[in-house]
Amino acid sequence: MTDADIKKVVNATIDSMLRKNMLRYNDNVILSSVGNILTRYYDSDMKDITIKDTLDKLSDHTYSDILAMYYRDHMTLEVIAEKYNVDVSTIRRNKRKLCLEFYNKYPDMIELG
């Protein structure tokens, strides 16, 4: 068995375990992947309907605009905190929460490098 064959088997096994909720990505992997997805989404002229729908599912969250402000408008967490008149830690915590919720609503979207 070649290294490429072993890699295919391992990747197929991991994918299967993820789909069966027997395994979960590390939160930092999720946050990084969601950040990359949203950056590309907001920078693109062509909007992926699945990403749009996933973002729409988060719209009832009090701080749902954080993702657009951060990834589309390239605002810092400090500037966003000023707009909401809250502490930066509140924005950081809710950005993290929204990214994890984004993943939970559409986990197949996550890309591993």
Side-chain angles (χ1 to χ4, degrees), residues 46-64:
M46 299 292 291
K47 299 299 183 205
D48 183 309
I49 191 69
T50 306
I51 296 173
K52 181 186 180 316
D53 290 346
T54 305
L55 289 169
D56 288 345
K57 291 176 184 175
L58 300 175
S59 64
D60 60 341
H61 189 285
T62 304
Y63 294 99
S64 62

Side-chain angles (χ1 to χ4, degrees), residues 25 33 37 54-55 59 71 76 91 113:
Y25 290 118
S33 295
I37 288 165
T54 305
L55 289 169
S59 64
Y71 293 107
T76 64
I91 298 303

